[in-house]
Amino acid sequence: MASLAGRDLISIADLTAAEISEVLDVATALKAGVDPGRPLAGRNLAMIFQRPSNRTRVSFEVAIRHLGGHPIPLFNSEIQIGERESTADISRILDRYVDGIVARLSSHRDLVTLARAARGPVVNAMTDREHPCQVLADCLTIRELLGHLAGARVCYVGDGNNVCTSWIYAATLLGIDLRVVGPAGYEPHPAVLERADSLAGGRSPVRHSHEAAEGLADAEIIYTDVWTSMGQEAEQQQRRDDFAHLQVNESLLRLAPPTARVMHCLPAHRGEEITDAVLDGPQSVVFDQAENRLWAQEALLSLIFDAKASDGRGLERTAAGRSPAGTAPR
Ligand code: CP
Ligand code: NVA
């Protein structure tokens, strides 16, 4: 298994199943109280947030501090991605000061540009296309609940969006039985399903349906996300109309076994994609899921910044500063 040291995480599909399992194993150990040491001691990480965040920013910032590092949050009002200067120039400049970048950018393409221009590791804190750190925490939560991931029956009810895309790749890599239920016109992008198939040698376990009953019948996990993602606010009313019949409410829950657990990446639009009764009800695990963002990201960073495993790919400083770092090829 290749080491994660010095690597970027742009897409969850950058990881193998074994690497995801390694992150989850380390996360479980950290959550149980194992001392992570101080792999980030003396290191500074820039945290670019072009979009709002609660969970991602705070959990990354706490994780960086737990690991002995120093987070530098940068909001779009000051850094102004692609407006004040080019994305690549921002990256080249930050690279001279910091040891890595965590970035939530509106455009996945911008994140790829940022990562290509950076010598140090870059971690995707969500783009319009993917949310890999969310799905690492989701997998940790499901493994805690069910004891396994392969064969877990997960029904994602909602938009074929960034969270759904990372879920499709993760399910494909890990052999999770993922059913995506959404209205016509909001299916996962065909290129995502093609990539999933190619990751699985033509046999991705992911299925898509317009029928909630079909996807939910034997689901162990019911997962949903907002109908209107950040940046899609102009489509909100149309989306409310198109998704209304797929609200995760008590009557939709009755289509699934009563033991099914409910997950939501949050923030929730209460009363829209999910009701208060479900979100706050006995089947909901959303707050445990949100907590796991911290453990999964702390594990990820501890592996990326594991100096012992870095084999000279840029994590050790030289007398002149950082050594030339190679990031994973994209
Ligand atoms: N789930 C998630 O990414 O939450 P934030 O937008 O608050 O970071
Ligand atoms: N799909 C949502 C996820 C928020 C964590 C969005 O992109 O806004």
Side-chain angles (χ1 to χ4, degrees), residues 134 138 141 223 263-264 285-293:
Q134 176 67 52
D138 297 341
T141 310
Y223 194 108
M263 297 177 69
H264 190 312
V285 295
V286 298
F287 297 106
D288 296 331
Q289 177 188 1
E291 178 192 332
N292 280 340
R293 296 294 305 277

Side-chain angles (χ1 to χ4, degrees), residues 126 131 161-163 225-226 229-230 265-267:
M126 197 181 89
H131 200 355
N161 61 15
N162 45 6
V163 171
D225 183 14
V226 293
S229 285
M230 292 181 240
C265 57
L266 304 179

Side-chain angles (χ1 to χ4, degrees), residues 30-95:
L30 294 174
K31 192 172 179 180
V34 169
D35 181 357
R38 293 171 59 79
L40 288 179
R43 299 187 194 282
N44 296 291
L45 265 69
M47 300 175 54
I48 305 175
F49 278 82
Q50 193 180 14
R51 293 239 188 247
S53 172
N54 175 12
R55 280 145 291 272
T56 309
R57 181 169 92 81
V58 178
S59 55
F60 260 115
E61 187 157 342
V62 171
I64 291 166
R65 290 180 192 277
H66 275 170
L67 298 172
H70 179 68
I72 303 174
L74 294 162
F75 301 106
N76 207 44
S77 53
E78 51 203 358
I79 201 153
Q80 298 173 26
I81 291 280
E83 292 171 35
R84 196 161 171 267
E85 58 190 324
S86 79
T87 307
D89 284 353
I90 289 172
S91 188
R92 289 187 196 109
I93 298 304
L94 289 176
D95 215 36

Side-chain angles (χ1 to χ4, degrees), residues 27-311:
T28 300
L30 294 174
K31 192 172 179 180
V34 169
D35 181 357
R38 293 171 59 79
L40 288 179
R43 299 187 194 282
N44 296 291
L45 265 69
M47 300 175 54
I48 305 175
F49 278 82
Q50 193 180 14
R51 293 239 188 247
S53 172
N54 175 12
R55 280 145 291 272
T56 309
R57 181 169 92 81
V58 178
S59 55
F60 260 115
E61 187 157 342
V62 171
I64 291 166
R65 290 180 192 277
H66 275 170
L67 298 172
H70 179 68
I72 303 174
L74 294 162
F75 301 106
N76 207 44
S77 53
E78 51 203 358
I79 201 153
Q80 298 173 26
I81 291 280
E83 292 171 35
R84 196 161 171 267
E85 58 190 324
S86 79
T87 307
D89 284 353
I90 289 172
S91 188
R92 289 187 196 109
I93 298 304
L94 289 176
D95 215 36
R96 299 293 175 112
Y97 307 141
V98 302
D99 300 273
I101 302 174
V102 172
R104 168 169 289 189
L105 302 189
S106 310
S107 152
H108 193 83
R109 208 166 285 169
D110 281 349
L111 184 73
V112 171
T113 302
L114 186 95
R116 282 197 178 131
R119 294 182 306 166
V122 173
V123 175
N124 182 353
M126 197 181 89
T127 64
D128 56 344
R129 285 205 214 143
E130 277 213 52
H131 200 355
C133 295
Q134 176 67 52
V135 174
L136 286 174
D138 297 341
C139 288
L140 178 62
T141 310
I142 294 173
R143 204 175 74 163
E144 288 172 351
L145 288 168
L146 306 182
H148 61 94
L149 286 167
R153 296 185 299 278
V154 178
C155 182
Y156 176 100
V157 183
D159 189 19
N161 61 15
N162 45 6
V163 171
C164 183
T165 296
S166 292
W167 249 107
I168 288 171
Y169 296 148
T172 301
L173 290 166
L174 298 167
I176 294 172
D177 179 357
L178 175 67
R179 308 89 188 264
V180 177
V181 173
Y186 297 94
E187 297 89 352
H189 196 283
V192 171
L193 297 173
E194 273 168 35
R195 185 166 181 212
D197 262 340
S198 83
L199 286 172
R203 291 190 305 280
S204 167
V206 177
R207 285 176 285 146
H208 181 270
S209 156
H210 298 128
E211 295 302 322
E214 205 177 302
L216 288 166
D218 60 352
E220 295 169 292
I221 303 290
I222 303 166
Y223 194 108
T224 194
D225 183 14
V226 293
W227 296 336
T228 304
S229 285
M230 292 181 240
Q232 297 173 333
E233 289 76 9
E235 301 169 23
Q236 186 158 29
Q237 192 50 55
Q238 184 65 53
R239 286 173 169 268
R240 278 185 181 144
D241 296 344
D242 294 342
F243 281 92
H245 63 292
L246 290 174
Q247 183 186 59
V248 178
N249 54 29
E250 286 166 304
S251 84
L252 183 131
L253 247 53
R254 281 194 282 277
L255 299 173
T259 48
R261 305 302 184 99
V262 176
M263 297 177 69
H264 190 312
C265 57
L266 304 179
H269 295 165
R270 286 172 177 263
E272 209 169 287
E273 77 278 357
I274 193 164
T275 57
D276 288 342
V278 172
L279 200 64
D280 300 327
Q283 289 172 255
S284 170
V285 295
V286 298
F287 297 106
D288 296 331
Q289 177 188 1
E291 178 192 332
N292 280 340
R293 296 294 305 277
L294 171 62
W295 303 115
Q297 286 155 201
E298 191 168 318
L300 177 71
L301 292 176
S302 75
L303 291 165
I304 289 176
F305 288 93
D306 178 0
K308 290 190 291 296
S310 73
D311 64 19

